[in-house]
Amino acid sequence: MVTPSSWRESYRAQYAYAESMQTELRGHLSKLPTGWYSESRIKEEKSFYQKIENGRYVDHTKLEDFLGGLIVVPLPTDVPRALAALDNFYSIRYQRPDDRDVATFNANAFPFNDIRLYGTFKVDESLPPRPLDEIVFEIQVKTFFQHAWSSATHDLIYKNDKFSWTRSRISAQVKATLEHAE
């Protein structure tokens, strides 16, 4: 794939901000309760270009998941506590799915639907404004089961160069069965 120079420039510009933001995000995530897992990542260049090429983003200068954080909690009942902990440093602008308690897909469809929050760092009014204060980034909140499942199937299903309907279908059915056990 030939990558337009505007995409490369956009990636480099966002990367510079994301590095500073990741340091700050890691500091916040390190204060989460013992027994929870957290991580952060900056989108890889290849993945950035794929999102633009696939038409998933019109404005590639403001990719909402260029910086991503992850909080993994033991059980679904811990998710509300994780959301409350985020409130200490994160201003949520919107989330996907809009309402995690309402199913929006057909019963026989199993797309990726884990909690993804999009927002900014909370602004400290006692400090001068920073360009970072307005950059939206993603934080996912998952259970250990959801995280293990996505780790096991991400490259096989989501990022695989050769889509396999059969592999995707079986993966979705197994995940649905295991979700009920959780």
PDB file of all heavy atoms in Angstrom, residues 88-121:
ATOM      1  N   ASN A  88     -12.260   9.835  38.480  1.00  0.00           N
ATOM      2  CA  ASN A  88     -11.255  10.646  39.178  1.00  0.00           C
ATOM      3  C   ASN A  88     -10.357  11.443  38.236  1.00  0.00           C
ATOM      4  O   ASN A  88      -9.802  12.465  38.634  1.00  0.00           O
ATOM      5  CB  ASN A  88     -10.372   9.761  40.070  1.00  0.00           C
ATOM      6  CG  ASN A  88     -11.161   9.170  41.210  1.00  0.00           C
ATOM      7  OD1 ASN A  88     -12.017   9.815  41.804  1.00  0.00           O
ATOM      8  ND2 ASN A  88     -10.882   7.914  41.512  1.00  0.00           N
ATOM      9  N   PHE A  89     -10.193  10.963  37.005  1.00  0.00           N
ATOM     10  CA  PHE A  89      -9.254  11.645  36.101  1.00  0.00           C
ATOM     11  C   PHE A  89      -9.729  11.767  34.665  1.00  0.00           C
ATOM     12  O   PHE A  89      -9.093  12.417  33.842  1.00  0.00           O
ATOM     13  CB  PHE A  89      -7.895  10.921  36.100  1.00  0.00           C
ATOM     14  CG  PHE A  89      -7.919   9.546  35.491  1.00  0.00           C
ATOM     15  CD1 PHE A  89      -7.678   9.360  34.135  1.00  0.00           C
ATOM     16  CD2 PHE A  89      -8.169   8.429  36.268  1.00  0.00           C
ATOM     17  CE1 PHE A  89      -7.688   8.092  33.572  1.00  0.00           C
ATOM     18  CE2 PHE A  89      -8.179   7.153  35.721  1.00  0.00           C
ATOM     19  CZ  PHE A  89      -7.935   6.989  34.361  1.00  0.00           C
ATOM     20  N   TYR A  90     -10.882  11.206  34.343  1.00  0.00           N
ATOM     21  CA  TYR A  90     -11.308  11.076  32.951  1.00  0.00           C
ATOM     22  C   TYR A  90     -12.698  11.662  32.766  1.00  0.00           C
ATOM     23  O   TYR A  90     -13.613  11.354  33.532  1.00  0.00           O
ATOM     24  CB  TYR A  90     -11.306   9.585  32.607  1.00  0.00           C
ATOM     25  CG  TYR A  90     -11.469   9.201  31.167  1.00  0.00           C
ATOM     26  CD1 TYR A  90     -10.559   9.600  30.205  1.00  0.00           C
ATOM     27  CD2 TYR A  90     -12.520   8.383  30.765  1.00  0.00           C
ATOM     28  CE1 TYR A  90     -10.687   9.198  28.884  1.00  0.00           C
ATOM     29  CE2 TYR A  90     -12.661   7.968  29.455  1.00  0.00           C
ATOM     30  CZ  TYR A  90     -11.734   8.377  28.510  1.00  0.00           C
ATOM     31  OH  TYR A  90     -11.866   7.975  27.207  1.00  0.00           O
ATOM     32  N   SER A  91     -12.862  12.502  31.746  1.00  0.00           N
ATOM     33  CA  SER A  91     -14.176  13.069  31.400  1.00  0.00           C
ATOM     34  C   SER A  91     -14.720  12.322  30.190  1.00  0.00           C
ATOM     35  O   SER A  91     -14.205  12.476  29.078  1.00  0.00           O
ATOM     36  CB  SER A  91     -14.059  14.556  31.065  1.00  0.00           C
ATOM     37  OG  SER A  91     -13.682  15.287  32.194  1.00  0.00           O
ATOM     38  N   ILE A  92     -15.731  11.520  30.410  1.00  0.00           N
ATOM     39  CA  ILE A  92     -16.304  10.727  29.325  1.00  0.00           C
ATOM     40  C   ILE A  92     -17.185  11.617  28.463  1.00  0.00           C
ATOM     41  O   ILE A  92     -18.076  12.296  28.967  1.00  0.00           O
ATOM     42  CB  ILE A  92     -17.125   9.548  29.888  1.00  0.00           C
ATOM     43  CG1 ILE A  92     -16.233   8.638  30.716  1.00  0.00           C
ATOM     44  CG2 ILE A  92     -17.802   8.776  28.756  1.00  0.00           C
ATOM     45  CD1 ILE A  92     -16.985   7.597  31.519  1.00  0.00           C
ATOM     46  N   ARG A  93     -16.924  11.609  27.171  1.00  0.00           N
ATOM     47  CA  ARG A  93     -17.753  12.369  26.223  1.00  0.00           C
ATOM     48  C   ARG A  93     -18.848  11.495  25.627  1.00  0.00           C
ATOM     49  O   ARG A  93     -19.952  11.936  25.403  1.00  0.00           O
ATOM     50  CB  ARG A  93     -16.879  12.960  25.125  1.00  0.00           C
ATOM     51  CG  ARG A  93     -15.854  13.937  25.676  1.00  0.00           C
ATOM     52  CD  ARG A  93     -15.665  15.102  24.772  1.00  0.00           C
ATOM     53  NE  ARG A  93     -14.723  16.054  25.362  1.00  0.00           N
ATOM     54  CZ  ARG A  93     -13.926  16.797  24.647  1.00  0.00           C
ATOM     55  NH1 ARG A  93     -13.938  16.722  23.336  1.00  0.00           N
ATOM     56  NH2 ARG A  93     -13.118  17.649  25.236  1.00  0.00           N
ATOM     57  N   TYR A  94     -18.502  10.237  25.332  1.00  0.00           N
ATOM     58  CA  TYR A  94     -19.480   9.277  24.830  1.00  0.00           C
ATOM     59  C   TYR A  94     -18.903   7.880  25.013  1.00  0.00           C
ATOM     60  O   TYR A  94     -17.729   7.724  25.354  1.00  0.00           O
ATOM     61  CB  TYR A  94     -19.849   9.523  23.365  1.00  0.00           C
ATOM     62  CG  TYR A  94     -18.671   9.587  22.416  1.00  0.00           C
ATOM     63  CD1 TYR A  94     -18.284   8.474  21.695  1.00  0.00           C
ATOM     64  CD2 TYR A  94     -17.945  10.766  22.249  1.00  0.00           C
ATOM     65  CE1 TYR A  94     -17.200   8.523  20.842  1.00  0.00           C
ATOM     66  CE2 TYR A  94     -16.871  10.827  21.386  1.00  0.00           C
ATOM     67  CZ  TYR A  94     -16.499   9.701  20.677  1.00  0.00           C
ATOM     68  OH  TYR A  94     -15.431   9.758  19.830  1.00  0.00           O
ATOM     69  N   GLN A  95     -19.743   6.880  24.818  1.00  0.00           N
ATOM     70  CA  GLN A  95     -19.294   5.497  24.971  1.00  0.00           C
ATOM     71  C   GLN A  95     -19.970   4.613  23.942  1.00  0.00           C
ATOM     72  O   GLN A  95     -20.984   4.981  23.354  1.00  0.00           O
ATOM     73  CB  GLN A  95     -19.574   4.989  26.381  1.00  0.00           C
ATOM     74  CG  GLN A  95     -21.041   4.758  26.680  1.00  0.00           C
ATOM     75  CD  GLN A  95     -21.258   4.218  28.087  1.00  0.00           C
ATOM     76  OE1 GLN A  95     -20.609   4.645  29.019  1.00  0.00           O
ATOM     77  NE2 GLN A  95     -22.180   3.293  28.220  1.00  0.00           N
ATOM     78  N   ARG A  96     -19.382   3.461  23.744  1.00  0.00           N
ATOM     79  CA  ARG A  96     -19.953   2.420  22.896  1.00  0.00           C
ATOM     80  C   ARG A  96     -19.884   1.124  23.687  1.00  0.00           C
ATOM     81  O   ARG A  96     -18.848   0.860  24.285  1.00  0.00           O
ATOM     82  CB  ARG A  96     -19.158   2.286  21.595  1.00  0.00           C
ATOM     83  CG  ARG A  96     -19.273   3.507  20.735  1.00  0.00           C
ATOM     84  CD  ARG A  96     -18.596   3.280  19.397  1.00  0.00           C
ATOM     85  NE  ARG A  96     -18.572   4.537  18.669  1.00  0.00           N
ATOM     86  CZ  ARG A  96     -17.470   5.169  18.292  1.00  0.00           C
ATOM     87  NH1 ARG A  96     -16.284   4.658  18.535  1.00  0.00           N
ATOM     88  NH2 ARG A  96     -17.544   6.306  17.642  1.00  0.00           N
ATOM     89  N   PRO A  97     -20.886   0.342  23.724  1.00  0.00           N
ATOM     90  CA  PRO A  97     -22.233   0.677  23.286  1.00  0.00           C
ATOM     91  C   PRO A  97     -22.825   1.794  24.141  1.00  0.00           C
ATOM     92  O   PRO A  97     -22.366   2.038  25.257  1.00  0.00           O
ATOM     93  CB  PRO A  97     -23.001  -0.636  23.488  1.00  0.00           C
ATOM     94  CG  PRO A  97     -22.236  -1.366  24.540  1.00  0.00           C
ATOM     95  CD  PRO A  97     -20.803  -0.957  24.393  1.00  0.00           C
ATOM     96  N   ASP A  98     -23.830   2.455  23.590  1.00  0.00           N
ATOM     97  CA  ASP A  98     -24.445   3.571  24.308  1.00  0.00           C
ATOM     98  C   ASP A  98     -24.969   3.150  25.677  1.00  0.00           C
ATOM     99  O   ASP A  98     -24.832   3.866  26.650  1.00  0.00           O
ATOM    100  CB  ASP A  98     -25.606   4.169  23.496  1.00  0.00           C
ATOM    101  CG  ASP A  98     -25.119   4.851  22.236  1.00  0.00           C
ATOM    102  OD1 ASP A  98     -23.974   5.343  22.217  1.00  0.00           O
ATOM    103  OD2 ASP A  98     -25.889   4.882  21.255  1.00  0.00           O
ATOM    104  N   ASP A  99     -25.608   2.001  25.724  1.00  0.00           N
ATOM    105  CA  ASP A  99     -26.135   1.466  26.981  1.00  0.00           C
ATOM    106  C   ASP A  99     -25.751  -0.005  27.045  1.00  0.00           C
ATOM    107  O   ASP A  99     -26.265  -0.816  26.280  1.00  0.00           O
ATOM    108  CB  ASP A  99     -27.656   1.630  27.032  1.00  0.00           C
ATOM    109  CG  ASP A  99     -28.270   1.167  28.340  1.00  0.00           C
ATOM    110  OD1 ASP A  99     -27.588   0.466  29.125  1.00  0.00           O
ATOM    111  OD2 ASP A  99     -29.444   1.491  28.579  1.00  0.00           O
ATOM    112  N   ARG A 100     -24.843  -0.348  27.944  1.00  0.00           N
ATOM    113  CA  ARG A 100     -24.331  -1.723  27.985  1.00  0.00           C
ATOM    114  C   ARG A 100     -25.357  -2.728  28.475  1.00  0.00           C
ATOM    115  O   ARG A 100     -25.157  -3.934  28.363  1.00  0.00           O
ATOM    116  CB  ARG A 100     -23.061  -1.797  28.808  1.00  0.00           C
ATOM    117  CG  ARG A 100     -23.226  -1.478  30.250  1.00  0.00           C
ATOM    118  CD  ARG A 100     -21.858  -1.420  30.938  1.00  0.00           C
ATOM    119  NE  ARG A 100     -22.003  -1.190  32.358  1.00  0.00           N
ATOM    120  CZ  ARG A 100     -22.006  -2.147  33.264  1.00  0.00           C
ATOM    121  NH1 ARG A 100     -21.862  -3.396  32.901  1.00  0.00           N
ATOM    122  NH2 ARG A 100     -22.155  -1.866  34.530  1.00  0.00           N
ATOM    123  N   ASP A 101     -26.464  -2.272  29.005  1.00  0.00           N
ATOM    124  CA  ASP A 101     -27.507  -3.173  29.488  1.00  0.00           C
ATOM    125  C   ASP A 101     -28.593  -3.445  28.449  1.00  0.00           C
ATOM    126  O   ASP A 101     -29.526  -4.190  28.716  1.00  0.00           O
ATOM    127  CB  ASP A 101     -28.148  -2.601  30.758  1.00  0.00           C
ATOM    128  CG  ASP A 101     -27.150  -2.523  31.905  1.00  0.00           C
ATOM    129  OD1 ASP A 101     -26.292  -3.425  32.010  1.00  0.00           O
ATOM    130  OD2 ASP A 101     -27.218  -1.551  32.680  1.00  0.00           O
ATOM    131  N   VAL A 102     -28.473  -2.813  27.280  1.00  0.00           N
ATOM    132  CA  VAL A 102     -29.475  -2.992  26.231  1.00  0.00           C
ATOM    133  C   VAL A 102     -28.800  -3.611  25.014  1.00  0.00           C
ATOM    134  O   VAL A 102     -27.855  -3.045  24.464  1.00  0.00           O
ATOM    135  CB  VAL A 102     -30.119  -1.636  25.835  1.00  0.00           C
ATOM    136  CG1 VAL A 102     -31.098  -1.824  24.685  1.00  0.00           C
ATOM    137  CG2 VAL A 102     -30.819  -1.005  27.034  1.00  0.00           C
ATOM    138  N   ALA A 103     -29.281  -4.774  24.599  1.00  0.00           N
ATOM    139  CA  ALA A 103     -28.734  -5.448  23.421  1.00  0.00           C
ATOM    140  C   ALA A 103     -29.234  -4.751  22.164  1.00  0.00           C
ATOM    141  O   ALA A 103     -30.426  -4.488  22.026  1.00  0.00           O
ATOM    142  CB  ALA A 103     -29.139  -6.910  23.415  1.00  0.00           C
ATOM    143  N   THR A 104     -28.318  -4.432  21.265  1.00  0.00           N
ATOM    144  CA  THR A 104     -28.708  -3.747  20.032  1.00  0.00           C
ATOM    145  C   THR A 104     -28.500  -4.618  18.801  1.00  0.00           C
ATOM    146  O   THR A 104     -28.850  -4.215  17.703  1.00  0.00           O
ATOM    147  CB  THR A 104     -27.903  -2.452  19.864  1.00  0.00           C
ATOM    148  OG1 THR A 104     -26.514  -2.772  19.868  1.00  0.00           O
ATOM    149  CG2 THR A 104     -28.227  -1.459  20.955  1.00  0.00           C
ATOM    150  N   PHE A 105     -27.955  -5.810  18.979  1.00  0.00           N
ATOM    151  CA  PHE A 105     -27.713  -6.713  17.862  1.00  0.00           C
ATOM    152  C   PHE A 105     -28.699  -7.866  17.909  1.00  0.00           C
ATOM    153  O   PHE A 105     -29.278  -8.175  18.953  1.00  0.00           O
ATOM    154  CB  PHE A 105     -26.279  -7.270  17.917  1.00  0.00           C
ATOM    155  CG  PHE A 105     -25.234  -6.203  17.823  1.00  0.00           C
ATOM    156  CD1 PHE A 105     -24.531  -5.808  18.948  1.00  0.00           C
ATOM    157  CD2 PHE A 105     -24.958  -5.582  16.621  1.00  0.00           C
ATOM    158  CE1 PHE A 105     -23.564  -4.830  18.876  1.00  0.00           C
ATOM    159  CE2 PHE A 105     -23.997  -4.592  16.541  1.00  0.00           C
ATOM    160  CZ  PHE A 105     -23.295  -4.211  17.665  1.00  0.00           C
ATOM    161  N   ASN A 106     -28.858  -8.529  16.773  1.00  0.00           N
ATOM    162  CA  ASN A 106     -29.696  -9.717  16.738  1.00  0.00           C
ATOM    163  C   ASN A 106     -29.115 -10.770  17.676  1.00  0.00           C
ATOM    164  O   ASN A 106     -27.909 -10.820  17.905  1.00  0.00           O
ATOM    165  CB  ASN A 106     -29.751 -10.286  15.316  1.00  0.00           C
ATOM    166  CG  ASN A 106     -30.538  -9.382  14.381  1.00  0.00           C
ATOM    167  OD1 ASN A 106     -31.438  -8.676  14.814  1.00  0.00           O
ATOM    168  ND2 ASN A 106     -30.175  -9.406  13.112  1.00  0.00           N
ATOM    169  N   ALA A 107     -29.967 -11.630  18.171  1.00  0.00           N
ATOM    170  CA  ALA A 107     -29.536 -12.667  19.105  1.00  0.00           C
ATOM    171  C   ALA A 107     -28.521 -13.618  18.481  1.00  0.00           C
ATOM    172  O   ALA A 107     -27.734 -14.237  19.182  1.00  0.00           O
ATOM    173  CB  ALA A 107     -30.744 -13.449  19.608  1.00  0.00           C
ATOM    174  N   ASN A 108     -28.518 -13.733  17.170  1.00  0.00           N
ATOM    175  CA  ASN A 108     -27.578 -14.650  16.516  1.00  0.00           C
ATOM    176  C   ASN A 108     -26.331 -13.936  15.989  1.00  0.00           C
ATOM    177  O   ASN A 108     -25.539 -14.526  15.259  1.00  0.00           O
ATOM    178  CB  ASN A 108     -28.273 -15.417  15.390  1.00  0.00           C
ATOM    179  CG  ASN A 108     -28.824 -14.490  14.326  1.00  0.00           C
ATOM    180  OD1 ASN A 108     -28.871 -13.276  14.505  1.00  0.00           O
ATOM    181  ND2 ASN A 108     -29.254 -15.067  13.221  1.00  0.00           N
ATOM    182  N   ALA A 109     -26.129 -12.679  16.358  1.00  0.00           N
ATOM    183  CA  ALA A 109     -24.937 -11.932  15.959  1.00  0.00           C
ATOM    184  C   ALA A 109     -24.095 -11.628  17.193  1.00  0.00           C
ATOM    185  O   ALA A 109     -24.629 -11.253  18.233  1.00  0.00           O
ATOM    186  CB  ALA A 109     -25.341 -10.627  15.270  1.00  0.00           C
ATOM    187  N   PHE A 110     -22.789 -11.790  17.069  1.00  0.00           N
ATOM    188  CA  PHE A 110     -21.900 -11.615  18.218  1.00  0.00           C
ATOM    189  C   PHE A 110     -20.723 -10.703  17.876  1.00  0.00           C
ATOM    190  O   PHE A 110     -19.567 -11.114  17.953  1.00  0.00           O
ATOM    191  CB  PHE A 110     -21.384 -12.961  18.713  1.00  0.00           C
ATOM    192  CG  PHE A 110     -22.476 -13.959  18.955  1.00  0.00           C
ATOM    193  CD1 PHE A 110     -22.708 -14.978  18.061  1.00  0.00           C
ATOM    194  CD2 PHE A 110     -23.281 -13.862  20.076  1.00  0.00           C
ATOM    195  CE1 PHE A 110     -23.720 -15.901  18.279  1.00  0.00           C
ATOM    196  CE2 PHE A 110     -24.296 -14.775  20.306  1.00  0.00           C
ATOM    197  CZ  PHE A 110     -24.521 -15.797  19.405  1.00  0.00           C
ATOM    198  N   PRO A 111     -20.981  -9.445  17.512  1.00  0.00           N
ATOM    199  CA  PRO A 111     -19.864  -8.552  17.189  1.00  0.00           C
ATOM    200  C   PRO A 111     -19.149  -8.074  18.455  1.00  0.00           C
ATOM    201  O   PRO A 111     -19.669  -8.227  19.567  1.00  0.00           O
ATOM    202  CB  PRO A 111     -20.553  -7.373  16.494  1.00  0.00           C
ATOM    203  CG  PRO A 111     -21.903  -7.341  17.117  1.00  0.00           C
ATOM    204  CD  PRO A 111     -22.268  -8.788  17.384  1.00  0.00           C
ATOM    205  N   PHE A 112     -17.962  -7.500  18.259  1.00  0.00           N
ATOM    206  CA  PHE A 112     -17.229  -6.917  19.384  1.00  0.00           C
ATOM    207  C   PHE A 112     -18.102  -5.832  19.998  1.00  0.00           C
ATOM    208  O   PHE A 112     -18.561  -4.933  19.305  1.00  0.00           O
ATOM    209  CB  PHE A 112     -15.913  -6.324  18.875  1.00  0.00           C
ATOM    210  CG  PHE A 112     -15.170  -5.561  19.931  1.00  0.00           C
ATOM    211  CD1 PHE A 112     -14.521  -6.216  20.953  1.00  0.00           C
ATOM    212  CD2 PHE A 112     -15.132  -4.171  19.907  1.00  0.00           C
ATOM    213  CE1 PHE A 112     -13.835  -5.518  21.928  1.00  0.00           C
ATOM    214  CE2 PHE A 112     -14.451  -3.463  20.873  1.00  0.00           C
ATOM    215  CZ  PHE A 112     -13.801  -4.143  21.882  1.00  0.00           C
ATOM    216  N   ASN A 113     -18.340  -5.931  21.291  1.00  0.00           N
ATOM    217  CA  ASN A 113     -19.251  -4.993  21.930  1.00  0.00           C
ATOM    218  C   ASN A 113     -18.836  -4.692  23.370  1.00  0.00           C
ATOM    219  O   ASN A 113     -19.661  -4.360  24.197  1.00  0.00           O
ATOM    220  CB  ASN A 113     -20.681  -5.549  21.889  1.00  0.00           C
ATOM    221  CG  ASN A 113     -21.708  -4.455  21.989  1.00  0.00           C
ATOM    222  OD1 ASN A 113     -21.488  -3.342  21.522  1.00  0.00           O
ATOM    223  ND2 ASN A 113     -22.841  -4.752  22.595  1.00  0.00           N
ATOM    224  N   ASP A 114     -17.542  -4.831  23.674  1.00  0.00           N
ATOM    225  CA  ASP A 114     -17.060  -4.514  25.014  1.00  0.00           C
ATOM    226  C   ASP A 114     -17.175  -3.005  25.243  1.00  0.00           C
ATOM    227  O   ASP A 114     -17.266  -2.222  24.297  1.00  0.00           O
ATOM    228  CB  ASP A 114     -15.609  -4.967  25.185  1.00  0.00           C
ATOM    229  CG  ASP A 114     -15.458  -6.481  25.074  1.00  0.00           C
ATOM    230  OD1 ASP A 114     -16.472  -7.200  25.146  1.00  0.00           O
ATOM    231  OD2 ASP A 114     -14.318  -6.937  24.903  1.00  0.00           O
ATOM    232  N   ILE A 115     -17.120  -2.588  26.486  1.00  0.00           N
ATOM    233  CA  ILE A 115     -17.282  -1.177  26.825  1.00  0.00           C
ATOM    234  C   ILE A 115     -16.074  -0.379  26.341  1.00  0.00           C
ATOM    235  O   ILE A 115     -14.936  -0.687  26.689  1.00  0.00           O
ATOM    236  CB  ILE A 115     -17.457  -0.991  28.343  1.00  0.00           C
ATOM    237  CG1 ILE A 115     -18.722  -1.692  28.817  1.00  0.00           C
ATOM    238  CG2 ILE A 115     -17.485   0.497  28.701  1.00  0.00           C
ATOM    239  CD1 ILE A 115     -18.862  -1.716  30.325  1.00  0.00           C
ATOM    240  N   ARG A 116     -16.349   0.634  25.535  1.00  0.00           N
ATOM    241  CA  ARG A 116     -15.323   1.577  25.085  1.00  0.00           C
ATOM    242  C   ARG A 116     -15.785   2.982  25.429  1.00  0.00           C
ATOM    243  O   ARG A 116     -16.870   3.396  25.040  1.00  0.00           O
ATOM    244  CB  ARG A 116     -15.110   1.470  23.575  1.00  0.00           C
ATOM    245  CG  ARG A 116     -14.309   0.275  23.184  1.00  0.00           C
ATOM    246  CD  ARG A 116     -15.040  -0.766  22.372  1.00  0.00           C
ATOM    247  NE  ARG A 116     -15.861  -0.294  21.285  1.00  0.00           N
ATOM    248  CZ  ARG A 116     -17.090  -0.742  21.051  1.00  0.00           C
ATOM    249  NH1 ARG A 116     -17.660  -1.620  21.852  1.00  0.00           N
ATOM    250  NH2 ARG A 116     -17.786  -0.316  20.035  1.00  0.00           N
ATOM    251  N   LEU A 117     -14.960   3.670  26.186  1.00  0.00           N
ATOM    252  CA  LEU A 117     -15.268   5.035  26.598  1.00  0.00           C
ATOM    253  C   LEU A 117     -14.369   5.986  25.822  1.00  0.00           C
ATOM    254  O   LEU A 117     -13.191   5.689  25.603  1.00  0.00           O
ATOM    255  CB  LEU A 117     -15.031   5.199  28.097  1.00  0.00           C
ATOM    256  CG  LEU A 117     -15.724   4.160  28.979  1.00  0.00           C
ATOM    257  CD1 LEU A 117     -15.198   4.236  30.398  1.00  0.00           C
ATOM    258  CD2 LEU A 117     -17.219   4.351  28.947  1.00  0.00           C
ATOM    259  N   TYR A 118     -14.907   7.122  25.434  1.00  0.00           N
ATOM    260  CA  TYR A 118     -14.142   8.112  24.693  1.00  0.00           C
ATOM    261  C   TYR A 118     -14.251   9.433  25.428  1.00  0.00           C
ATOM    262  O   TYR A 118     -15.358   9.909  25.690  1.00  0.00           O
ATOM    263  CB  TYR A 118     -14.673   8.229  23.255  1.00  0.00           C
ATOM    264  CG  TYR A 118     -14.589   6.903  22.539  1.00  0.00           C
ATOM    265  CD1 TYR A 118     -15.641   6.000  22.566  1.00  0.00           C
ATOM    266  CD2 TYR A 118     -13.417   6.535  21.892  1.00  0.00           C
ATOM    267  CE1 TYR A 118     -15.543   4.777  21.945  1.00  0.00           C
ATOM    268  CE2 TYR A 118     -13.304   5.305  21.263  1.00  0.00           C
ATOM    269  CZ  TYR A 118     -14.382   4.429  21.292  1.00  0.00           C
ATOM    270  OH  TYR A 118     -14.275   3.204  20.686  1.00  0.00           O
ATOM    271  N   GLY A 119     -13.103   9.987  25.773  1.00  0.00           N
ATOM    272  CA  GLY A 119     -13.113  11.229  26.531  1.00  0.00           C
ATOM    273  C   GLY A 119     -11.739  11.848  26.610  1.00  0.00           C
ATOM    274  O   GLY A 119     -10.833  11.505  25.839  1.00  0.00           O
ATOM    275  N   THR A 120     -11.597  12.734  27.561  1.00  0.00           N
ATOM    276  CA  THR A 120     -10.364  13.490  27.740  1.00  0.00           C
ATOM    277  C   THR A 120      -9.946  13.438  29.209  1.00  0.00           C
ATOM    278  O   THR A 120     -10.747  13.068  30.069  1.00  0.00           O
ATOM    279  CB  THR A 120     -10.574  14.966  27.351  1.00  0.00           C
ATOM    280  OG1 THR A 120     -11.621  15.509  28.168  1.00  0.00           O
ATOM    281  CG2 THR A 120     -10.936  15.122  25.880  1.00  0.00           C
ATOM    282  N   PHE A 121      -8.714  13.834  29.471  1.00  0.00           N
ATOM    283  CA  PHE A 121      -8.312  13.992  30.862  1.00  0.00           C
ATOM    284  C   PHE A 121      -9.120  15.118  31.470  1.00  0.00           C
ATOM    285  O   PHE A 121      -9.439  16.105  30.789  1.00  0.00           O
ATOM    286  CB  PHE A 121      -6.819  14.340  30.966  1.00  0.00           C
ATOM    287  CG  PHE A 121      -5.898  13.206  30.658  1.00  0.00           C
ATOM    288  CD1 PHE A 121      -4.976  13.310  29.637  1.00  0.00           C
ATOM    289  CD2 PHE A 121      -5.939  12.036  31.395  1.00  0.00           C
ATOM    290  CE1 PHE A 121      -4.100  12.271  29.354  1.00  0.00           C
ATOM    291  CE2 PHE A 121      -5.080  10.982  31.124  1.00  0.00           C
ATOM    292  CZ  PHE A 121      -4.155  11.101  30.099  1.00  0.00           C
TER     293      PHE A 121
END
